[in-house]
Amino acid sequence: MGSERRERVRVLGARLRALRAEAGLTGAALAQRAGIGQPTVSKVETGRMVPSVDVLNRLCRALNLDESAAGEVHDLLVAVESVITTDSEPAGLPAGLVVDDAVRGARSVRSFQCVVLPALLQSAEYARHVFESAPDSTPEAVGRAVAARVERQSVLYEPGRESVFVLTEAVLRTWPGTPALMLAQLDRLLAVESLSTVRLGVIPWRRPVPLLPRHGFTLCDQQAVVIEAFIGERVSVDSAEVAAYEETFDRFQGAAVFGGEARELLLRVMKEFRELGDTVTP
């Protein structure tokens, strides 16, 4: 997180903390009223997490804010997002955590990927390769980024959330490291696919895509979209752009297989990686 954005996140958190104090609520009481986790309230207030629009709306309602105060904090969130693509990262800090921040507070996440696995589904070793590929990454920064990514994946197990992932089969066959790494990664996908809070779909290579994919993206609460490109990520809260990506996601989702068909495809790819064994070196 760049310095300007970090300061704006801090200002937003401080304002919410002041409003909570004015309401005479503890962090735990506010979390209970808002229907979110107490750690989420703490991280938002201390500037360690950017709330989604849905989370901010929940906090505003729980604090019983009037129109003026609610508008003020929403303007602060817009100010945070406005610098997300222009504020540079400190040297040595790998890119790729924007999507993690965006989905942390979302109750509904829909992600389409055509090359790299969604951040929420990556194993630690897979994520390490993702972050190591960033320019000017350092071992220390990569380690911190991997730990943060794995910790944020806990949202997959929280009740009341829904996560839908649609991948092309190419994602399963574009692999870093060794076949053993991908076997562990695919095993994780099988485990996650069984969760009641998750739907995992795959577009088989034998099936034509409804349109040619150009990049991955993640929709958060029908309020924002994280658009992922080779040189970085950006968040858009423009309603027309979000709507366009929602329509695109629906088209890809319609071409995907889910449930038993998706598991069968994953098992087939795993069998092929086992046959590769360790004969292929990175």
Side-chain angles (χ1 to χ4, degrees):
M1 189 183 298
S3 58
E4 183 181 355
R5 180 168 184 254
R6 184 162 46 244
E7 175 60 20
R8 295 190 184 190
V9 174
R10 187 195 65 76
V11 170
L12 171 60
R15 183 60 181 138
L16 287 168
R17 185 168 61 251
L19 290 166
R20 174 177 60 77
E22 291 174 12
L25 296 173
T26 65
L30 175 59
Q32 185 175 18
R33 281 193 182 187
I36 59 179
Q38 194 276 331
T40 296
V41 172
S42 176
K43 289 177 182 179
V44 168
E45 290 188 348
T46 55
R48 291 179 291 150
M49 173 182 166
V50 180
S52 67
V53 174
D54 177 66
V55 166
L56 194 60
N57 286 338
R58 288 167 178 260
L59 292 172
C60 289
R61 288 193 295 268
L63 290 167
N64 197 27
L65 299 185
D66 59 25
E67 185 177 344
S68 175
E72 176 191 355
V73 294
H74 277 85
D75 286 345
L76 289 173
L77 178 59
V78 170
V80 170
E81 302 297 1
S82 70
V83 296
I84 202 164
T85 58
T86 60
D87 207 9
S88 60
E89 298 287 347
L93 180 63
L97 289 176
V98 172
V99 64
D100 296 8
D101 288 335
V103 305
R104 184 61 185 261
R107 309 303 294 180
S108 172
V109 172
R110 289 167 293 164
S111 183
F112 167 77
Q113 298 296 334
C114 51
V115 178
V116 180
L117 278 163
L120 285 174
L121 302 183
Q122 293 173 8
S123 69
E125 282 307 305
Y126 187 103
R128 186 176 303 280
H129 282 272
V130 171
F131 288 121
E132 284 177 344
S133 67
D136 303 319
S137 63
T138 66
E140 294 78 13
V142 168
R144 291 194 301 271
V146 169
R149 173 152 292 179
V150 171
E151 190 272 334
R152 291 169 189 176
Q153 292 174 355
S154 62
V155 299
L156 288 174
Y157 306 94
E158 294 181 9
R161 292 181 182 269
E162 179 187 37
S163 301
V164 183
F165 304 98
V166 174
L167 322 174
T168 63
E169 187 172 337
V171 173
L172 307 179
R173 299 181 181 278
T174 303
W175 52 283
T178 65
L181 182 155
M182 281 305 292
L183 280 170
Q185 175 64 76
L186 292 167
D187 189 59
R188 169 167 168 73
L189 294 184
L190 285 171
V192 170
E193 192 275 337
S194 68
L195 296 173
S196 62
T197 53
V198 173
R199 293 188 69 228
L200 175 63
V202 182
I203 302 175
W205 74 268
R206 295 175 181 272
R207 182 175 295 187
V209 290
L211 68 162
L212 287 174
R214 303 184 181 207
H215 56 78
F217 61 90
T218 300
L219 290 154
C220 303
D221 285 334
Q222 299 181 312
Q223 301 288 339
V225 59
V226 184
I227 301 163
E228 303 164 44
F230 187 75
I231 60 173
E233 304 163 333
R234 69 178 179 90
V235 172
S236 173
V237 294
D238 178 79
S239 58
E241 190 166 26
V242 171
Y245 274 98
E246 287 186 322
E247 181 182 355
T248 299
F249 183 85
D250 288 344
R251 293 182 68 183
F252 282 126
Q253 183 176 222
V257 297
F258 290 84
E261 288 183 272
R263 288 192 294 274
E264 182 181 342
L265 196 159
L266 288 170
L267 290 169
R268 184 165 65 248
V269 175
M270 289 179 75
K271 178 177 181 294
E272 294 176 16
F273 273 112
R274 287 194 190 92
E275 291 170 353
L276 275 177
D278 290 323
T279 60
V280 179
T281 57

